[in-house]
């Protein structure tokens, strides 16, 4: 359990994609800069999707270009199809993520096609990425439940993970999009995928809607998974998953890991500063329990 954990920061993409308050390109860039300065060396910074569908992610090309000078960090962007891949590459993307769903209902709502059609859209993206030397991460949404189709069988997740892996994805990020999972279900799903693919190439992408994300991450760590997606401040959610809240908060994950003796290399003060800056722009306090606790402690100390 004390092995190195790789955190993949989701705040600027999964976090901001569902926020109603518009955030300027400059503020999005500053957010990424602050997160990298806090020690997060892998950050998803945007999405090359339809701006009509997700206006929050418009101008992701400017964000990506605006952070390209930062050394020592890897920047990821979402691409749903070749059009997105073209735009991402034109902006300098070296790592892109395709995103499929374990359920037909969510696939249709999110990217307006069936699961099989989405795979057909990804094939040319992966072929071109291979030729271009671009790394491709693969997401699977709704691995522990779907807002439209209900329960999801672990086997369905494992089969899709194998498909994405065979297409050339270097890592498969398993998304509990609506945060309904519980630890034993998370284990069962991870075991099913881990029996088909190397556990070291799986990531846990758990939203915290029902407050289960940390428990589920711990369960997944027990199974050997070592990559965790998290969003600073617990920002965001998916606009196509009714009622879903943000990813597990990066602060909460860092606090848990450090408390377990796992070194994350994250500077909590700097991370909290980045989260508080964004919370100020959004006009509401962070939902992260650790950020709330640390902010309250600071206020107490400031007042004493
Ligand atoms: P579509 O309507 O099927 O596609 O949308 P289309 O090819 O018919 O094109 C329709 C319009 O979109 C056209 O524009 C295209 O040019 C444009 P119009 O003629 O109407 O002006 N278009 C694009 N524009 C910019 N970039 C593109 C692109 N492709 C087409 N790449 C599409 C299909 C996927 C584009 C659309 O449904 C879409 O953008 N959906 C948004 C999906 C999204 O971003 N969802 C949130 C992220 S996924 C997530 O949060 C889950 C995750 O976190 C894991 C988890 O938690 O589970 C990853
Ligand atoms: Mg997500």
């Amino acid at each position: 359990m004390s092995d190195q954990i790789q955190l993949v920061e989701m705040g600027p993409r999964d976090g901001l994609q569902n926020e109603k308050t518009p955030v300027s390109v400059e503020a999005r860039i500053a957010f990424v800069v602050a997160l990298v300065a806090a020690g997060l060396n892998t950050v998803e910074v945007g999405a090359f999707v339809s701006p009509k569908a997700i206006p929050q992610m418009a101008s992701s090309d400017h964000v990506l270009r605006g952070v390209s000078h930062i050394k020592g960090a890897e920047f990821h962007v979402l691409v749903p199809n070749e059009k997105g891949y073209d735009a991402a590459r034109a902006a300098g993307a070296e790592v892109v993520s395709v995103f499929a769903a374990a359920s037909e209902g969510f696939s249709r709502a999110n990217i307006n096609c069936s699961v099989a059609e989405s795979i057909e859209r990804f094939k040319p993206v992966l072929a071109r990425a291979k030729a271009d030397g671009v790394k491709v991460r693969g997401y699977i949404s709704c691995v522990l439940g779907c807002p439209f189709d209900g329960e999801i069988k672990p086997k369905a997740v494992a089969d899709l993970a194998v498909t994405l892996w065979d297409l050339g994805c270097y890592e498969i990020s398993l998304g509990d999009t609506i945060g309904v999972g519980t630890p034993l279900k998370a284990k069962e799903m991870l075991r099913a995928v881990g029996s088909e693919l190397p556990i070291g190439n799986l990531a846990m992408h758990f939203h915290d809607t029902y407050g289960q994300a940390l428990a589920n991450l711990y369960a997944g760590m027990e199974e050997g998974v070592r990559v965790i997606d998290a969003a600073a401040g617990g920002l965001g959610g998916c606009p196509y998953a009714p009622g879903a809240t943000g990813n597990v908060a990066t602060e909460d994950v860092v606090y848990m890991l450090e408390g377990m003796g796992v070194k994350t290399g994250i500077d909590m003060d700097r991370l909290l500063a980045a989260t508080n800056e964004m919370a100020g722009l959004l006009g509401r306090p962070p939902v992260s329990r650790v950020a709330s606790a640390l902010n309250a402690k600071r206020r107490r100390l400031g007042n004493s």
Side-chain angles (χ1 to χ4, degrees), residues 39 90 235:
L235 283 171

Side-chain angles (χ1 to χ4, degrees), residues 37-283:
L40 289 151
N41 60 14
T42 309
V43 185
E44 197 160 82
V45 302
F48 290 85
V49 297
S50 162
K52 284 182 193 154
I54 315 273
Q56 293 90 334
M57 289 294 105
S59 305
S60 284
D61 53 340
H62 293 292
V63 176
L64 187 56
R65 285 201 183 92
V67 299
S68 60
H69 64 283
I70 303 173
K71 299 281 171 263
E74 188 175 275
F75 299 117
H76 295 190
V77 290
L78 291 188
V79 300
N81 51 22
E82 273 194 283
K83 186 179 171 91
Y85 182 78
D86 286 337
R89 285 293 287 157
E94 286 171 10
V95 186
V96 301
S97 300
V98 294
F99 48 109
S103 65
E104 293 296 339
F106 188 77
S107 184
R108 182 62 62 191
N110 194 35
I111 51 175
N112 195 29
C113 63
S114 69
V115 178
E117 284 163 347
S118 75
I119 297 300
E120 291 307 313
R121 290 180 184 180
F122 300 155
K123 279 180 183 167
V125 170
L126 274 129
R128 288 179 55 194
K130 188 173 180 194
D132 296 343
V134 168
K135 283 170 47 176
V136 184
R137 195 171 197 241
Y139 282 103
I140 303 179
S141 288
C142 296
V143 297
L144 294 171
C146 170
F148 309 105
D149 300 358
E151 201 152 315
I152 301 296
K153 293 206 165 37
K155 170 94 169 63
V157 180
D159 289 348
L160 186 54
V162 169
T163 301
L164 290 173
W165 178 260
D166 288 346
L167 284 180
C169 292
Y170 72 95
E171 186 167 276
I172 310 296
S173 178
L174 298 158
D176 183 9
T177 317
I178 52 171
V180 289
T182 44
L184 295 184
K185 286 194 174 155
K187 268 182 188 277
E188 193 190 353
M189 181 277 295
L190 291 167
R191 272 185 202 153
V193 185
S195 68
E196 302 283 346
L197 299 179
I199 203 85
N201 295 85
L202 305 183
M204 298 182 281
H205 178 106
F206 296 161
H207 287 255
D208 203 21
T209 317
Y210 286 81
Q212 304 296 302
L214 280 183
N216 295 343
L217 289 176
Y218 186 86
M221 286 173 65
E222 284 190 327
E223 295 302 311
V225 186
R226 290 291 176 266
V227 186
I228 295 176
D229 296 357
L235 283 171
C238 179
Y240 296 101
T245 60
N247 286 110
V248 66
T250 313
E251 294 85 349
D252 297 8
V253 175
V254 169
Y255 183 87
M256 179 181 83
L257 293 176
E258 294 281 343
M260 292 167 63
V262 180
K263 295 276 167 266
T264 61
I266 309 297
D267 180 327
M268 184 66 94
D269 283 344
R270 286 185 162 192
L271 173 58
L272 187 61
T275 286
N276 285 341
E277 177 70 25
M278 185 48 71
L281 294 176
L282 296 172

